[in-house]
Amino acid sequence: MPELPEVETVVRGLQALRLPGRRIQRVWLDCPSMVAPLAPAEFARRLQGRRITGVARRAKYIVISLSGGWTLLGHLRMTGQLAALASGAPRDRHQHLVIGLDRGLELRCRDTRKFGRWLVTDDPGAILSRLGPEPLSRDFSAAWLRGRLRHTARRLKPLLLDQAFLAGLGNIYVDEALWAARLGPMRRADSLTAAEAARLRLAIRRVLSQGIRHGGTTLGEGLGNFKLVSGRQGGHQRWLQVFHRAGRPCRRCGAVIQRLVVAQRGTHICPVCQNGNH
DNA sequence: ATCGCAGCCTGTACGC
DNA sequence: TGCGTACAGGCTGCGA
């Protein structure tokens, strides 16, 4: 599942291709729901002929700036992948959106479950402004987190998954951050001490930074699993402490990692390290 | 204010 | 071996 580190890895891959200046020549798609609410023809018309002026990331969104003040916003959701390929490269049936650039390069959005969303808009702020702060930015300060935690009774797991609270975490990195901070997923936010809030903030920043350093997490060999723009796999799966490690020993205390369901999500904890008031 | 659930979708893992 | 079924999960929208 692409979360902040995976999207950052994709965006860095795109940035290495030096896309700014390239012109969009052709747009092909076969899955209208992936560009909804725009009709496919309107989506293509808005892209056609524009030049790419920049590539960036905000939370889990890929933000591709275009000439004329337009922006292509991409969200990979569960199984989305973005590949840069020569225009002659063979297609496969999971490539649902192809953006053809000049000089024979294509951006191909591959998405086995078709949950990903792509939008061309002249007002990206309408979407991006609803997001909470970037966890790796200065906005995510100890004072800010402490202040916000104090005023909500929500449980840590659903709170950290809420993109309007903090933007970019998903199921993997929330579980990893809670383990690193030695906090239980069911802990009420307003029950955290200042020291625990500080620990949580550092843990979040650490697991995200590590995820980026390792090029994101690719779990298993499935068709929809995370890939870099180059098609390679990420490397952070070797560093996971709890996620998908149920039944195996905690690397900190040796207790058996458990899988439970919290906020309708598979949740992985060390029952000994994270035993705080459930 | 906060939670729970359905829906979107299809590959995968499991049971028989 | 092959079939059927449950499950996985980011996000939205709805109802409790």
Side-chain angles (χ1 to χ4, degrees), chain A residues 20 24 55 84 90 98 210 223 226 230 241:
Chain A
I24 297 172
V55 179
V98 177
Q210 287 173 350
L223 278 177
F226 171 68
S230 62
Q241 302 296 321

Side-chain angles (χ1 to χ4, degrees), chain A residues 58-61 127-134 163-167:
Chain A
R58 169 76 171 102
K60 302 178 197 173
Y61 285 91
I127 289 172
L128 302 181
S129 67
R130 292 183 214 149
L131 298 166
E134 283 288 322
Q163 303 298 298
F165 179 80
L166 183 65

Side-chain angles (χ1 to χ4, degrees), chain A residues 14-276:
Chain A
L14 289 177
Q15 288 168 340
L17 295 172
R18 302 180 178 281
L19 295 179
R22 296 272 189 122
R23 187 183 293 277
I24 297 172
Q25 291 182 330
R26 297 168 309 278
V27 177
W28 174 92
L29 65 121
D30 72 350
C31 182
S33 65
M34 283 176 58
V35 300
L38 294 182
E42 175 64 11
F43 177 85
R45 192 187 65 74
R46 290 187 183 187
L47 286 179
Q48 202 82 249
R50 301 206 180 275
R51 282 188 193 282
I52 293 174
T53 60
V55 179
R57 178 191 61 76
R58 169 76 171 102
K60 302 178 197 173
Y61 285 91
I62 298 164
V63 184
I64 300 180
S65 306
L66 305 172
S67 55
W70 291 81
T71 301
L72 172 63
L73 279 184
H75 196 303
L76 303 174
R77 296 270 182 108
M78 302 293 307
T79 55
Q81 301 171 353
L82 187 56
L85 294 168
S87 52
R91 295 269 185 101
D92 80 72
R93 68 194 185 93
H94 295 299
Q95 289 169 358
H96 296 296
L97 168 60
V98 177
I99 297 171
L101 306 176
D102 50 16
R103 288 182 270 159
L105 186 68
E106 287 183 348
L107 300 180
R108 298 197 194 171
C109 310
R110 203 169 167 281
D111 196 335
T112 53
R113 289 183 213 173
K114 302 193 266 193
F115 279 10
R117 291 293 177 266
W118 295 84
L119 176 66
V120 188
T121 176
D122 59 359
D123 184 18
I127 289 172
L128 302 181
S129 67
R130 292 183 214 149
L131 298 166
E134 283 288 322
L136 296 178
S137 76
R138 289 191 176 171
D139 295 341
F140 183 52
S141 66
W144 178 89
L145 181 61
R146 180 93 205 288
R148 289 295 306 266
L149 292 177
R150 260 207 301 246
H151 295 294
T152 178
R154 297 174 71 183
R155 312 282 170 176
L156 290 178
K157 173 98 184 196
L159 182 67
L160 295 176
L161 285 172
D162 182 354
Q163 303 298 298
F165 179 80
L166 183 65
L169 291 171
N171 212 30
I172 296 174
Y173 293 94
V174 166
D175 282 5
E176 292 296 310
L178 288 174
W179 178 87
R182 286 175 276 124
L183 293 167
M186 294 288 285
R187 274 289 292 278
R188 275 175 56 140
D190 56 9
S191 77
L192 264 60
T193 65
E196 287 174 326
R199 232 158 64 202
L200 179 58
R201 173 175 169 274
L202 282 178
I204 289 169
R205 293 169 74 103
R206 195 167 298 137
V207 298
L208 292 176
S209 300
Q210 287 173 350
I212 292 170
R213 199 175 318 129
H214 298 139
T217 301
T218 300
L219 288 166
E221 301 293 325
L223 278 177
N225 292 338
F226 171 68
K227 296 276 173 52
L228 281 68
V229 168
S230 62
R232 289 178 45 206
Q233 300 197 1
H236 189 62
Q237 57 278 5
R238 292 195 307 272
W239 300 80
L240 295 178
Q241 302 296 321
V242 282
F243 199 82
H244 278 201
R245 291 195 69 242
R248 303 175 65 189
C250 171
R251 293 190 174 118
R252 196 161 47 204
C253 77
V256 177
I257 301 298
Q258 291 181 356
R259 181 185 184 277
L260 44 150
V261 176
V262 178
Q264 298 88 240
R265 301 299 166 79
T267 298
H268 310 76
I269 63 162
C270 169
V272 174
C273 293
Q274 298 169 263
N275 66 348

